[in-house]
Amino acid sequence: MSLDIGEATGITMIGIIFIAVAGNLMTLFVITRYPPLRDVTGMFLANLAVADLLQAVIGMPLIATSAFRKEWVFGNVLCVISGMTNSLFCITSVLTLTAVSIDRYLAIVHPLHYQNWLTVNRAKMALVYLWTQASFAALLPVFGWSRYVIHFFQKKYELI
């Protein structure tokens, strides 16, 4: 029995979905149950876990299904929604990792000023900004600025 690229991709995606859901739920559980983790860094890590969990639950199943089928079977509207949500959650993850890096930089390089500079309210504002920026970037193709393009094993589908 031979395994083609679509099946291998689909099986891999299903494995990633299960690991991502379990890992991110455990991360959120620990952050909510362990009070020392309910600080600025914990807020950023919880945000990262939420974005990755949403990607695993909303975005990846459609990609896995399409990999097995070797084509997009969900129609144009769901393609646009899928492209938007995948972009939203991926951009949010990258921006959150950037926020974690800045948080750790400030904590290490400026330990005496860290708690005055990066307060819980500033971290909340940063998270609102992250989601707003990611939403703006993810929505651009919906409003005609660029477009989502799907590539499936030598076929190219352009939508919008």
Side-chain angles (χ1 to χ4, degrees):
M1 179 177 148
S2 67
L3 193 65
D4 73 2
I5 188 77
E7 292 169 342
T9 303
I11 291 168
T12 302
M13 290 296 296
I14 289 172
I16 292 170
I17 290 168
F18 283 122
I19 292 168
V21 169
N24 287 304
L25 285 176
M26 285 190 285
T27 300
L28 290 170
F29 178 78
V30 169
I31 289 172
T32 58
R33 298 289 182 188
Y34 188 61
L37 290 178
R38 292 188 216 142
D39 60 356
V40 171
T41 305
M43 289 171 60
F44 290 139
L45 294 176
N47 190 67
L48 181 63
V50 167
D52 291 346
L53 181 63
L54 290 171
Q55 176 67 20
V57 171
I58 295 171
M60 288 183 182
L62 299 175
I63 296 169
T65 303
S66 297
F68 281 118
R69 300 287 305 266
K70 296 186 188 107
E71 65 180 334
W72 184 259
V73 295
F74 300 107
N76 288 351
V77 172
L78 200 52
C79 177
V80 171
I81 292 170
S82 175
M84 184 201 63
T85 57
N86 285 327
S87 296
L88 172 65
F89 302 139
C90 288
I91 294 168
T92 300
S93 290
V94 170
L95 291 175
T96 303
L97 288 170
T98 304
V100 169
S101 299
I102 293 168
D103 171 62
R104 295 296 78 209
Y105 169 81
L106 292 174
I108 293 167
V109 176
H110 301 286
L112 300 177
H113 301 288
Y114 171 75
Q115 289 193 342
N116 292 330
W117 289 351
L118 202 54
T119 63
V120 170
N121 284 335
R122 287 184 179 156
K124 287 178 185 177
M125 289 187 324
L127 292 175
V128 168
Y129 169 78
L130 296 178
W131 281 95
T132 303
Q133 176 65 34
S135 298
F136 178 76
L139 284 170
L140 286 175
V142 174
F143 295 109
W145 189 286
S146 189
R147 64 182 169 266
Y148 299 112
V149 178
I150 304 169
H151 293 273
F152 277 108
F153 316 107
Q154 308 305 321
K155 291 182 179 178
K156 181 177 171 183
Y157 301 90
E158 292 193 30
L159 302 160
I160 292 186

